[in-house]
Amino acid sequence: MITSRNVIATRQGDDQVIVIGAHLDSATIGTGADDNASGVAAILAAAQALAELPIQHTLVFVAFGAEEVGLYGSYEYVDSLGGDIDHVIAMINVDSVGVGTDLNVYAGAEITWGEDEEAAPTIDGGPTWVRDTALALAKQMGLPFQTSPDETWGGYTGDWSDHYAFVLEGVPIVYFEAWQWWGADDAWLGQETGDGDIMHTPDDVYENVVPEKVEMASELIAATTYALASGMVTPPVE
């Protein structure tokens, strides 16, 4: 038996919550420097940047366990909230921001995969306002972020990281990732770099992480979190 735990830190505000998460486990091959020490480093840097700034809403930073073996940490966390999930106004997920060719942000969608492995999935897109907030802030800050191609994911992402437990509960999410979509061998999977993936290979080591990518990600994570937590940006009225 292997035991895994989530590591949680809370900065208290009112009863509305923003969750900022990154998984702390890694695949057994490589060291996990990119997937996902880079994501954990980015949310820690964002937390430090926000430490003295005034906030209105509660911030919960979560380093999720057991992502690589089935997203167990994030599902367990969401289950633990029970009805309080309704107080989570947004979730920010950060996964592998240190190596990939392009920095991206995506919105969440419920995904249905067909029996044909070559067929496109069905994408039931969720709220986009958190992703759009991040993209607008990136433009203001001069940070080179984009989103997934219109001809495939259309600004959304799949079901393969810790955001998905929140998506299934209707929570708006934004997912930060460094990845290459244009020119990839598989338009639906993309690839991490022009030479292929680094994650889940022996090349996932510190020497291949680009510190500037992690820094830019942490800057935008902090800015997006502050925009939400301060009440500067609010959910659209339905």
Side-chain angles (χ1 to χ4, degrees), residues 36-100:
N36 187 36
S38 69
V40 175
I43 70 168
L44 288 173
Q48 185 176 36
L50 294 164
E52 303 300 326
L53 295 179
I55 60 169
Q56 177 180 347
H57 305 314
T58 295
L59 300 180
V60 180
F61 292 86
V62 187
F64 294 109
E67 188 265 2
E68 296 286 2
V69 292
L71 313 180
Y72 289 112
S74 49
Y75 277 106
E76 177 64 27
Y77 176 77
V78 168
D79 286 347
S80 75
L81 294 179
D84 287 341
I85 190 68
D86 293 337
H87 294 288
V88 179
I89 61 175
M91 188 271 179
I92 296 170
N93 184 49
V94 189
D95 196 347
S96 304
V97 291
V99 171

Side-chain angles (χ1 to χ4, degrees), residues 6-208:
N6 294 331
V7 180
I8 303 171
T10 301
R11 184 178 173 196
Q12 198 64 46
D14 62 18
D15 65 351
Q16 301 299 293
V17 177
I18 297 99
V19 176
I20 308 94
H23 72 88
L24 55 76
D25 63 323
S26 66
T28 55
I29 190 169
T31 67
D34 175 49
D35 182 20
N36 187 36
S38 69
V40 175
I43 70 168
L44 288 173
Q48 185 176 36
L50 294 164
E52 303 300 326
L53 295 179
I55 60 169
Q56 177 180 347
H57 305 314
T58 295
L59 300 180
V60 180
F61 292 86
V62 187
F64 294 109
E67 188 265 2
E68 296 286 2
V69 292
L71 313 180
Y72 289 112
S74 49
Y75 277 106
E76 177 64 27
Y77 176 77
V78 168
D79 286 347
S80 75
L81 294 179
D84 287 341
I85 190 68
D86 293 337
H87 294 288
V88 179
I89 61 175
M91 188 271 179
I92 296 170
N93 184 49
V94 189
D95 196 347
S96 304
V97 291
V99 171
T101 302
D102 302 308
L103 287 164
N104 297 275
V105 291
Y106 319 119
E110 291 193 37
I111 305 300
T112 303
W113 297 93
E115 294 182 5
D116 182 356
E117 294 182 358
E118 300 299 322
T122 299
I123 302 170
D124 183 8
T128 61
W129 65 274
V130 186
R131 178 204 66 199
D132 293 345
T133 295
L135 285 170
L137 287 168
K139 185 175 181 179
Q140 292 174 23
M141 298 165 70
L143 297 174
F145 281 80
Q146 56 191 26
T147 192
S148 52
D150 289 341
E151 58 268 27
T152 53
W153 292 101
Y156 297 99
T157 188
D159 53 358
W160 43 67
S161 189
D162 289 313
H163 64 287
Y164 201 63
F166 295 84
V167 168
L168 294 178
E169 295 296 331
V171 176
I173 71 98
V174 61
Y175 178 173
F176 285 73
E177 178 187 54
W179 202 250
Q180 178 177 323
W181 294 106
W182 286 267
D185 292 337
D186 186 315
W188 284 98
L189 293 180
Q191 58 197 46
E192 199 165 11
T193 75
D195 296 322
D197 295 350
I198 297 296
M199 61 172 59
H200 299 185
T201 77
D203 291 325
D204 189 356
V205 294
Y206 177 77
E207 289 76 14
N208 286 325

